[in-house]
């Protein structure tokens, strides 16, 4: 079995920062792309940022210059550093990763989500 476990969410004031972490555990052969999604109340889930195994990154326009995605391949962990947070960033943040178990092809796994609330 493979699990993705997120941490680091919480309540922060506008202009503040948070760092999300997502650790993959289980019997893992390889991890390809890793991503962060978010879903605000009443809105569709959106892709916030992604990172390849080589470290290439992409961001949705609304977070460019404020969020940074990174990963530690030795720890099977992806991070999302979020700075200059605004109430519009309030959402449940989900980790997603393409993971191959030994002898099997890549499958997309999801974390359980972590709540980020930006409010004064």
């Amino acid at each position: 079995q493979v699990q993705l476990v997120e941490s680091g969410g919480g309540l922060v004031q506008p202009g503040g920062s948070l760092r999300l972490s997502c650790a993959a555990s289980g019997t893992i052969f390889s991890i390809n792309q890793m991503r962060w999604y978010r879903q605000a109340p009443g809105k569709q889930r959106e892709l916030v940022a992604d990172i390849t195994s080589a470290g290439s990154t992409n961001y949705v326009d609304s977070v460019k210059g404020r969020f940074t995605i990174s990963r530690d391949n030795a720890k099977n962990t992806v991070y999302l550093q979020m700075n200059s947070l605004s109430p519009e960033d309030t959402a449940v943040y989900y980790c997603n990763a393409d993971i191959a178990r030994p002898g099997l092809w890549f499958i997309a796994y999801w974390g359980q989500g972590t709540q980020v609330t930006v409010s004064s």
Side-chain angles (χ1 to χ4, degrees):
Q1 281 283 25
V2 171
Q3 278 191 314
L4 295 178
V5 178
E6 298 119 334
S7 60
L11 173 64
V12 64
Q13 291 187 341
S17 298
L18 282 176
R19 188 192 194 208
L20 305 182
S21 300
C22 172
S25 63
T27 307
I28 296 171
F29 175 71
S30 180
I31 302 178
N32 196 0
Q33 200 167 37
M34 305 185 83
R35 311 170 186 89
W36 285 99
Y37 286 79
R38 66 185 178 185
Q39 187 165 20
K43 294 188 176 181
Q44 288 189 333
R45 190 172 297 190
E46 70 167 347
L47 177 62
V48 176
D50 60 52
I51 183 168
T52 68
S53 56
S56 297
T57 59
N58 287 291
Y59 300 90
V60 68
D61 285 346
S62 60
V63 308
K64 285 181 180 178
R66 300 188 300 122
F67 290 11
T68 302
I69 188 171
S70 61
R71 65 191 282 172
D72 184 333
N73 291 331
K75 296 181 179 179
N76 291 336
T77 300
V78 63
Y79 306 96
L80 186 67
Q81 177 67 43
M82 305 185 293
N83 299 327
S84 302
L85 285 161
S86 71
E88 289 70 34
D89 296 313
T90 295
V92 178
Y93 284 71
Y94 297 91
C95 173
N96 171 275
D98 298 333
I99 298 175
R101 298 172 63 192
L104 301 175
W105 193 238
F106 288 94
I107 295 175
Y109 290 86
W110 289 90
Q112 81 285 359
T114 185
Q115 177 70 46
V116 171
T117 303
V118 185
S119 175
S120 55

